Amino acid sequence: MISKAGNALNGHLDHRNPLVFDTRELGRRPGALKRLSRSVEAPGSPVLGIDGVIGVPEGAPLELDLRLESVMEGVLVTGTARATAEGECVRCLEPLTVEVDADFQEMFSYPDADDRGRPADPADDAEDDEDRFFLEDGLFDLESVLRDAVVLALPMQPVCKETCAGLCSECGIRLDENPGHHHDAVDIRWAALQGLAETVQDGEKDNMGGAEPGVDEKQEK
């Protein structure tokens, strides 16, 4: 697995990528601020969302509103992503859509500065960089941050409506469309006893139709 730091430092970001943003206008002057909006197509492979459950289809419109702020250690990015996700109801399996409104905030650090804004110590543990994002020649890639934010904003178990009754476990029919639907179920624990009771009843009927025990013997005597 490639670290976030590795992606930023060795990925050679392409400014033509719609999810790559340029911060060079801010310079390194703390307090400098830039706001921007951008409409892009949702990335794919994997889907932007929860794979196999719900997500924003590849190529679907994705609206971004960003606030870029220069700070001592890098650029603080705060934003909102809006899109429409598609999936299916976990109860009735019908298709559904969900409006996504995902908020996020992430620090993109200068490669040559630590968290205090001073030149980084080469002896620092490299593992500390695993969870950090870095600027590359003033550019940053928002895709990883965006994916995390969208996943958190989506329902883990989407439903078409809160009152969805789901499907019949016996035949699979949609219960919302057939509210009176039911099956007569027999508890298997009582099935054997029911059969025994019927056998006893049949035996009693046979006895009632014949002579009483001992009658034939008396007549013979």
Side-chain angles (χ1 to χ4, degrees):
M1 180 178 180
I2 301 175
S3 70
K4 297 175 181 178
N7 278 331
L9 295 175
N10 303 317
H12 303 295
L13 300 181
D14 185 351
H15 69 277
R16 294 170 296 183
N17 183 330
L19 291 177
V20 170
F21 295 82
D22 193 339
T23 69
R24 286 173 290 190
E25 289 184 10
L26 294 174
R28 288 204 177 189
R29 186 177 71 260
L33 186 66
K34 179 180 180 181
R35 296 181 184 274
L36 58 88
S37 297
R38 183 178 294 185
S39 180
V40 303
E41 294 183 353
S45 302
V47 68
L48 186 63
I50 306 170
D51 194 24
V53 180
I54 188 169
V56 181
E58 182 176 2
L62 182 65
E63 302 297 328
L64 299 173
D65 291 317
L66 302 180
R67 178 179 184 271
L68 314 182
E69 182 179 3
S70 178
V71 296
M72 289 294 294
E73 61 269 31
V75 176
L76 181 64
V77 179
T78 305
T80 300
R82 297 180 180 86
T84 301
E86 298 178 359
E88 66 178 26
C89 177
V90 296
R91 297 178 187 171
C92 67
L93 307 183
E94 287 294 306
L96 57 78
T97 59
V98 174
E99 296 303 315
V100 185
D101 198 341
D103 297 323
F104 52 86
Q105 185 175 73
E106 189 62 59
M107 171 67 70
F108 288 85
S109 302
Y110 298 123
D112 59 349
D114 65 8
D115 290 338
R116 297 174 298 279
R118 298 194 297 269
D121 183 353
D124 286 346
D125 190 349
E127 293 184 0
D128 292 342
D129 289 342
E130 291 292 329
D131 296 325
R132 297 176 63 191
F133 291 90
F134 289 86
L135 294 168
E136 179 188 333
D137 296 329
L139 303 177
F140 69 87
D141 188 345
L142 191 64
E143 182 172 341
S144 182
V145 174
L146 184 61
R147 287 187 179 280
D148 290 345
V150 170
V151 167
L152 291 175
L154 288 171
M156 297 297 292
Q157 294 188 322
V159 292
C160 57
K161 58 182 180 180
E162 292 299 326
T163 58
C164 176
L167 303 176
C168 173
S169 59
E170 295 289 333
C171 63
I173 195 170
R174 287 193 67 197
L175 297 178
D176 279 349
E177 297 177 353
N178 300 270
H181 177 77
H182 71 280
H183 294 271
D184 293 330
V186 177
D187 192 327
I188 60 174
R189 295 173 297 179
W190 297 103
L193 292 178
Q194 180 65 28
L196 179 60
E198 292 174 354
T199 301
V200 171
Q201 290 176 356
D202 291 341
E204 291 176 349
K205 290 179 181 179
D206 292 340
N207 288 336
M208 291 177 63
E212 294 182 0
V215 172
D216 293 341
E217 294 179 358
K218 292 179 181 179
Q219 290 177 347
E220 291 177 358
K221 292 179 180 180

Coordinates of all heavy atoms in Angstrom, one line a residue, residues 81-137:
A81 N -18.4 18.7 -0.9 CA -18.6 18.0 -2.2 C -20.1 17.6 -2.2 O -20.6 17.1 -1.3 CB -17.7 16.7 -2.3
R82 N -20.7 17.9 -3.4 CA -22.1 17.5 -3.6 C -22.3 16.7 -4.8 O -21.7 17.0 -5.9 CB -23.0 18.8 -3.7 CG -22.9 19.7 -2.4 CD -23.8 20.9 -2.6 NE -23.8 21.7 -1.4 CZ -22.8 22.7 -1.1 NH1 -21.9 22.9 -2.0 NH2 -22.9 23.4 0.0
A83 N -23.1 15.6 -4.7 CA -23.3 14.7 -5.8 C -24.5 13.9 -5.5 O -25.1 13.9 -4.4 CB -22.1 13.9 -6.1
T84 N -24.9 13.0 -6.5 CA -26.0 12.1 -6.3 C -25.4 10.7 -6.4 O -24.8 10.3 -7.4 CB -27.1 12.3 -7.4 OG1 -27.6 13.6 -7.3 CG2 -28.2 11.3 -7.2
A85 N -25.7 9.9 -5.3 CA -25.2 8.5 -5.3 C -26.3 7.6 -5.7 O -27.5 7.9 -5.5 CB -24.7 8.2 -3.9
E86 N -25.9 6.4 -6.2 CA -26.9 5.4 -6.6 C -26.6 4.1 -6.0 O -25.5 3.8 -5.7 CB -26.9 5.3 -8.2 CG -27.3 6.5 -8.9 CD -27.2 6.3 -10.4 OE1 -26.8 5.2 -10.9 OE2 -27.5 7.3 -11.2
G87 N -27.7 3.4 -5.6 CA -27.5 2.1 -5.0 C -28.8 1.3 -5.0 O -29.7 1.6 -5.9
E88 N -29.0 0.4 -4.1 CA -30.2 -0.3 -3.9 C -30.6 -0.4 -2.5 O -29.7 -0.5 -1.6 CB -30.2 -1.7 -4.6 CG -29.2 -2.6 -4.0 CD -29.3 -4.0 -4.7 OE1 -29.6 -4.1 -5.9 OE2 -29.0 -5.0 -4.0
C89 N -31.9 -0.5 -2.2 CA -32.4 -0.6 -0.9 C -32.0 -2.0 -0.3 O -32.2 -3.0 -1.0 CB -33.9 -0.5 -0.9 SG -34.7 -0.7 0.7
V90 N -31.5 -2.0 0.9 CA -31.0 -3.2 1.5 C -32.2 -4.1 2.0 O -32.0 -5.3 2.3 CB -30.1 -3.0 2.7 CG1 -28.8 -2.3 2.3 CG2 -30.8 -2.2 3.8
R91 N -33.4 -3.5 2.0 CA -34.6 -4.3 2.4 C -35.4 -4.9 1.2 O -35.7 -6.1 1.2 CB -35.5 -3.4 3.2 CG -34.9 -2.9 4.5 CD -35.8 -2.0 5.3 NE -35.2 -1.4 6.5 CZ -35.8 -0.4 7.2 NH1 -37.0 0.0 6.9 NH2 -35.1 0.1 8.2
C92 N -35.6 -4.0 0.2 CA -36.5 -4.5 -0.9 C -35.7 -4.7 -2.2 O -36.2 -5.1 -3.2 CB -37.7 -3.6 -1.1 SG -37.2 -1.9 -1.7
L93 N -34.4 -4.3 -2.2 CA -33.5 -4.4 -3.3 C -33.9 -3.5 -4.5 O -33.4 -3.7 -5.6 CB -33.4 -5.8 -3.8 CG -33.0 -6.9 -2.7 CD1 -32.9 -8.2 -3.3 CD2 -31.8 -6.4 -2.0
E94 N -34.8 -2.5 -4.3 CA -35.1 -1.6 -5.4 C -34.1 -0.5 -5.5 O -33.4 -0.1 -4.6 CB -36.5 -1.0 -5.1 CG -37.7 -1.9 -5.2 CD -37.9 -2.3 -6.7 OE1 -38.0 -1.5 -7.6 OE2 -37.9 -3.6 -6.9
P95 N -33.8 0.0 -6.8 CA -32.9 1.0 -7.0 C -33.2 2.3 -6.2 O -34.4 2.6 -6.0 CB -32.9 1.3 -8.5 CG -33.5 0.0 -9.1 CD -34.4 -0.5 -8.0
L96 N -32.2 3.0 -5.8 CA -32.5 4.3 -5.1 C -31.4 5.3 -5.3 O -30.3 4.9 -5.8 CB -32.6 4.1 -3.6 CG -31.5 3.4 -2.8 CD1 -30.4 4.4 -2.5 CD2 -32.0 2.8 -1.5
T97 N -31.7 6.6 -5.1 CA -30.7 7.6 -5.2 C -30.6 8.4 -3.9 O -31.6 8.5 -3.2 CB -31.0 8.6 -6.3 OG1 -32.3 9.2 -6.1 CG2 -31.0 7.9 -7.7
V98 N -29.4 8.9 -3.5 CA -29.2 9.6 -2.3 C -28.4 10.9 -2.6 O -27.4 10.8 -3.3 CB -28.5 8.8 -1.3 CG1 -28.1 9.6 0.0 CG2 -29.3 7.6 -0.8
E99 N -28.8 12.0 -2.2 CA -28.1 13.2 -2.4 C -26.9 13.3 -1.3 O -27.2 13.2 -0.1 CB -29.0 14.5 -2.2 CG -30.1 14.6 -3.3 CD -29.5 14.6 -4.7 OE1 -28.5 15.3 -4.9 OE2 -30.0 13.9 -5.5
V100 N -25.7 13.4 -1.8 CA -24.5 13.4 -1.0 C -24.1 14.9 -0.7 O -24.0 15.7 -1.7 CB -23.4 12.6 -1.6 CG1 -22.2 12.6 -0.7 CG2 -23.8 11.3 -2.0
D101 N -23.8 15.2 0.5 CA -23.3 16.5 0.9 C -22.2 16.2 1.9 O -22.4 16.1 3.1 CB -24.4 17.3 1.5 CG -24.1 18.8 1.6 OD1 -22.9 19.1 1.4 OD2 -25.0 19.6 1.7
A102 N -21.0 16.1 1.4 CA -19.8 15.7 2.2 C -18.9 16.8 2.5 O -18.4 17.5 1.6 CB -19.1 14.6 1.5
D103 N -18.7 17.0 3.8 CA -17.8 18.1 4.3 C -16.4 17.5 4.6 O -16.3 16.3 5.1 CB -18.3 18.8 5.5 CG -19.6 19.5 5.2 OD1 -19.7 20.1 4.1 OD2 -20.5 19.5 6.1
F104 N -15.3 18.2 4.4 CA -14.0 17.7 4.7 C -13.1 18.8 5.0 O -13.3 20.0 4.7 CB -13.5 16.9 3.6 CG -13.5 17.6 2.2 CD1 -12.5 18.4 1.8 CD2 -14.6 17.4 1.4 CE1 -12.5 19.1 0.6 CE2 -14.7 18.1 0.1 CZ -13.6 18.9 -0.2
Q105 N -12.0 18.5 5.7 CA -10.9 19.4 6.0 C -9.6 18.6 6.1 O -9.6 17.6 6.8 CB -11.2 20.2 7.3 CG -10.1 21.3 7.6 CD -10.5 22.1 8.8 OE1 -10.4 21.6 9.9 NE2 -10.9 23.4 8.6
E106 N -8.6 19.1 5.4 CA -7.3 18.4 5.5 C -6.2 19.4 5.3 O -6.3 20.4 4.6 CB -7.3 17.4 4.3 CG -6.1 16.4 4.3 CD -6.1 15.6 5.6 OE1 -7.1 14.8 5.8 OE2 -5.1 15.6 6.3
M107 N -5.1 19.0 6.0 CA -3.8 19.8 5.9 C -2.9 19.2 4.8 O -2.6 18.0 4.9 CB -3.1 19.9 7.2 CG -1.7 20.5 7.2 SD -1.8 22.2 6.8 CE -2.5 22.9 8.3
F108 N -2.5 20.0 3.9 CA -1.5 19.5 2.9 C -0.2 20.3 3.3 O -0.1 21.5 3.1 CB -1.9 19.9 1.5 CG -3.1 19.0 1.0 CD1 -4.4 19.3 1.3 CD2 -2.8 17.8 0.3 CE1 -5.4 18.5 0.9 CE2 -3.8 17.0 -0.1 CZ -5.2 17.4 0.2
S109 N 0.8 19.5 3.8 CA 2.0 20.1 4.3 C 3.1 20.3 3.3 O 3.1 19.7 2.2 CB 2.6 19.1 5.4 OG 1.7 18.9 6.4
Y110 N 3.9 21.3 3.6 CA 5.1 21.5 2.8 C 6.1 20.4 3.0 O 6.3 19.9 4.1 CB 5.8 22.8 3.1 CG 4.9 24.1 2.9 CD1 4.7 25.0 4.0 CD2 4.4 24.4 1.7 CE1 3.9 26.1 3.8 CE2 3.6 25.5 1.5 CZ 3.4 26.4 2.6 OH 2.6 27.5 2.4
P111 N 6.6 19.8 1.9 CA 7.6 18.7 2.1 C 8.7 19.0 3.0 O 9.3 18.1 3.6 CB 8.0 18.4 0.7 CG 6.9 19.0 -0.2 CD 6.5 20.2 0.5
D112 N 9.1 20.3 3.1 CA 10.3 20.6 3.9 C 10.0 21.2 5.2 O 10.9 21.9 5.8 CB 11.2 21.6 3.1 CG 10.5 22.9 2.7 OD1 9.2 22.9 3.0 OD2 11.1 23.8 2.3
A113 N 8.8 21.0 5.8 CA 8.5 21.6 7.0 C 7.7 20.6 7.9 O 6.9 19.8 7.4 CB 7.6 22.9 6.8
D114 N 8.0 20.7 9.2 CA 7.2 19.8 10.1 C 6.0 20.5 10.7 O 5.6 21.6 10.2 CB 8.1 19.3 11.3 CG 8.6 20.4 12.2 OD1 8.1 21.6 12.0 OD2 9.4 20.2 13.0
D115 N 5.3 20.0 11.6 CA 4.1 20.5 12.2 C 4.3 21.9 12.8 O 3.3 22.6 13.1 CB 3.5 19.6 13.2 CG 2.9 18.3 12.5 OD1 2.7 18.4 11.2 OD2 2.8 17.3 13.1
R116 N 5.5 22.3 13.1 CA 5.7 23.6 13.8 C 6.2 24.6 12.8 O 6.5 25.7 13.2 CB 6.7 23.4 14.9 CG 6.2 22.5 16.0 CD 7.3 22.3 17.1 NE 8.5 21.6 16.5 CZ 8.6 20.3 16.3 NH1 7.5 19.5 16.6 NH2 9.6 19.7 15.7
G117 N 6.2 24.3 11.5 CA 6.6 25.2 10.5 C 8.1 25.4 10.4 O 8.5 26.3 9.7
R118 N 8.9 24.6 11.1 CA 10.3 24.7 10.9 C 10.8 23.5 10.0 O 10.1 22.5 9.8 CB 11.0 24.5 12.3 CG 10.6 25.6 13.3 CD 11.5 25.6 14.5 NE 11.5 24.4 15.3 CZ 10.6 24.2 16.3 NH1 9.8 25.2 16.6 NH2 10.6 23.1 16.9
P119 N 12.0 23.7 9.5 CA 12.6 22.6 8.6 C 12.5 21.3 9.4 O 12.8 21.1 10.5 CB 14.0 23.0 8.4 CG 14.0 24.5 8.5 CD 13.0 24.8 9.6
A120 N 12.1 20.2 8.6 CA 11.9 18.9 9.2 C 13.2 18.3 9.6 O 14.2 18.5 9.0 CB 11.2 18.0 8.2
D121 N 13.2 17.5 10.7 CA 14.4 16.8 11.2 C 14.5 15.5 10.4 O 13.5 14.7 10.4 CB 14.2 16.5 12.7 CG 15.4 15.8 13.3 OD1 16.3 15.5 12.5 OD2 15.4 15.7 14.5
P122 N 15.6 15.2 9.7 CA 15.7 14.0 8.9 C 15.6 12.8 9.8 O 15.3 11.7 9.3 CB 17.1 14.1 8.3 CG 17.4 15.6 8.3 CD 16.7 16.1 9.6
A123 N 15.8 12.9 11.1 CA 15.7 11.7 12.0 C 14.3 11.4 12.4 O 14.1 10.4 13.1 CB 16.6 12.0 13.2
D124 N 13.3 12.2 12.0 CA 11.9 12.0 12.4 C 11.5 10.6 11.8 O 11.9 10.2 10.8 CB 11.0 13.0 11.8 CG 11.1 14.3 12.6 OD1 11.7 14.3 13.7 OD2 10.6 15.4 12.0
D125 N 10.6 9.9 12.6 CA 10.2 8.6 12.2 C 9.3 8.7 10.9 O 8.4 9.5 10.9 CB 9.3 8.0 13.3 CG 9.0 6.6 13.1 OD1 9.2 6.1 12.0 OD2 8.5 5.9 14.0
A126 N 9.7 7.9 9.9 CA 9.0 8.0 8.6 C 7.6 7.6 8.7 O 6.7 8.0 7.9 CB 9.7 7.1 7.6
E127 N 7.2 6.8 9.8 CA 5.9 6.4 9.9 C 4.9 7.5 10.2 O 3.7 7.4 10.0 CB 5.8 5.3 11.0 CG 6.5 4.0 10.7 CD 6.3 3.0 11.8 OE1 5.6 3.3 12.8 OE2 6.8 1.9 11.6
D128 N 5.5 8.6 10.7 CA 4.6 9.8 11.0 C 4.0 10.4 9.8 O 3.0 11.1 9.8 CB 5.4 10.8 11.8 CG 5.8 10.4 13.2 OD1 5.2 9.4 13.7 OD2 6.7 11.0 13.8
D129 N 4.7 10.1 8.6 CA 4.3 10.7 7.4 C 3.2 9.8 6.7 O 2.6 10.2 5.7 CB 5.4 10.8 6.4 CG 6.4 11.9 6.8 OD1 6.0 12.7 7.6 OD2 7.6 11.9 6.4
E130 N 2.9 8.6 7.2 CA 2.0 7.7 6.6 C 0.6 8.3 6.5 O -0.2 8.1 5.6 CB 1.9 6.4 7.3 CG 3.2 5.6 7.2 CD 3.4 5.0 5.8 OE1 2.3 4.8 5.1 OE2 4.5 4.9 5.3
D131 N 0.2 9.1 7.5 CA -1.2 9.7 7.6 C -1.2 11.2 7.2 O -2.2 11.8 7.6 CB -1.7 9.5 9.0 CG -1.9 8.0 9.3 OD1 -2.3 7.2 8.4 OD2 -1.7 7.6 10.5
R132 N -0.2 11.6 6.6 CA -0.1 13.0 6.2 C -0.2 13.2 4.7 O 0.2 12.3 3.9 CB 1.2 13.7 6.7 CG 1.3 13.7 8.2 CD 2.6 14.3 8.7 NE 2.8 15.7 8.3 CZ 4.0 16.3 8.4 NH1 5.0 15.7 8.9 NH2 4.0 17.6 8.0
F133 N -0.7 14.3 4.3 CA -0.7 14.7 2.9 C 0.3 15.8 2.6 O 0.5 16.7 3.5 CB -2.1 15.2 2.4 CG -3.1 14.1 2.4 CD1 -3.9 13.9 3.6 CD2 -3.4 13.3 1.3 CE1 -4.8 12.9 3.6 CE2 -4.3 12.4 1.3 CZ -5.1 12.1 2.5
F134 N 1.0 15.8 1.5 CA 2.0 16.8 1.2 C 1.7 17.5 -0.1 O 1.1 16.9 -1.1 CB 3.4 16.1 1.1 CG 3.9 15.7 2.4 CD1 3.6 14.4 3.0 CD2 4.7 16.5 3.2 CE1 4.1 14.0 4.2 CE2 5.2 16.1 4.4 CZ 4.9 14.9 4.9
L135 N 2.2 18.7 -0.2 CA 2.1 19.4 -1.5 C 3.3 19.0 -2.4 O 4.4 18.6 -1.9 CB 2.2 20.9 -1.2 CG 1.1 21.6 -0.4 CD1 1.5 23.0 0.0 CD2 -0.2 21.6 -1.3
E136 N 3.0 19.0 -3.6 CA 4.1 18.7 -4.6 C 4.2 19.9 -5.6 O 3.3 20.1 -6.4 CB 3.8 17.4 -5.4 CG 4.9 17.1 -6.4 CD 4.5 15.9 -7.3 OE1 3.7 15.1 -6.8 OE2 5.0 15.9 -8.4
D137 N 5.3 20.7 -5.5 CA 5.4 21.9 -6.3 C 4.2 22.8 -6.3 O 3.8 23.3 -7.3 CB 5.7 21.5 -7.8 CG 7.0 20.7 -8.0 OD1 7.9 21.0 -7.2 OD2 7.0 19.8 -8.8

